Amino acid sequence: MSSTKTISTLIVEDSALMRILLSDILKSDPDIELIGTAKNGKEGVEKARLLQPDVIISDMIMPDYDGVYLVENIMKEIPTPVILLSSLEKNDGLVFDALQKGAFDFLDKPKDDITNSIKAKDYPLTALVKVAAESKIKKIEVKENKNSHAFHGTAAYAAIVIGASTGGPGAIENLLKQLPNNLILPVIIAQHMPDSFIHSFAKRLDELTELMVKVAESGEEIRPGYIYLAPGHSNMRLRKNPHTGGVVVHFTDKVYTEFNNPSIDCLMESAAEVYGDRMIGLILTGMGKDGTEGLKKVKAKGGVTIAQDKDTSVVYGMPKSAFDAGATDILVPLNQMGGYLVSCL
């Protein structure tokens, strides 16, 4: 960020202690300015209307008017990037409602005793505020596909492997809505997200689509028509079962440079080894470069490589990195992604 223009922020949080803690985090960065605080979603909307902040940081659970209320009304009146803070212990799926209504991203709430780690800049709030300030608010309308598709014989590909980060939960929901309910190959997803949220996300997706959605487990065999989410406790790899010829899930402690638990590169590279030219690799919206090396491997093995286009990405970071590296065959808008994937089959 240029030092001439600071990012104005608004904190919406019912706990006075947490407001102080968050204020200290934001004030530790000279590029960020705190211009106001509010105690619940309703007051947050009123303050946002008055102060016009660049970015809003909001608690998820608040009395009377929560984070979902705030996001819904902010997006209607004054579209502004909203970063949600949600305690892992209190995660009840509401955060995904807010993301679907247009929230930018979410973080696990800082603990009251992390003052030392804040000084060490371990907590990623300021970095996320800067990315949010540069992003565009996106509300992508997709045509929901409730129909079966006439698949003739064997599909041309054996698996679709997807990587996503910031903006990914909403993008994945939208993409799954576009897929036919009788998809005949597996979809395997690595979404950057804390482990306990991944289980809630899988449950939400399972209710959204007629396809079976689950968190992948060590040793299980990948089955057609299932959607698997990589868990967040380690990095997920795929390998061939020498006895059955099937593809099996296992986990590794290997550390990946761009992102860990779950690493998109880890999943993509192993999938490329297993499926060769019979896989489709797809990178959706997200910060950073995770997935670029993995997509390169998919391309080298003869698989199809796709990235979400700039106009529909919440953060055009990972797709841009893959595109700039020559790892993608094509950039596709999110609202056309389902149709494109089916056409490949």
Side-chain angles (χ1 to χ4, degrees), residues 184-187 212 214 220-228 247 275:
I184 58 171
L185 71 171
V187 179
M212 177 73 79
K214 71 185 299 293
E220 82 172 304
E221 198 158 293
I222 298 291
R223 288 181 280 176
Y226 275 65
I227 296 165
Y228 298 90
V247 176
Y275 293 112

Side-chain angles (χ1 to χ4, degrees), residues 109-129:
K109 211 168 190 182
K111 303 294 180 284
D112 297 349
D113 58 355
I114 64 163
T115 312
N116 292 334
S117 63
I118 289 165
K119 286 176 183 168
K121 295 198 166 33
D122 287 346
Y123 190 63
L125 180 60
T126 55
L128 197 57
V129 164

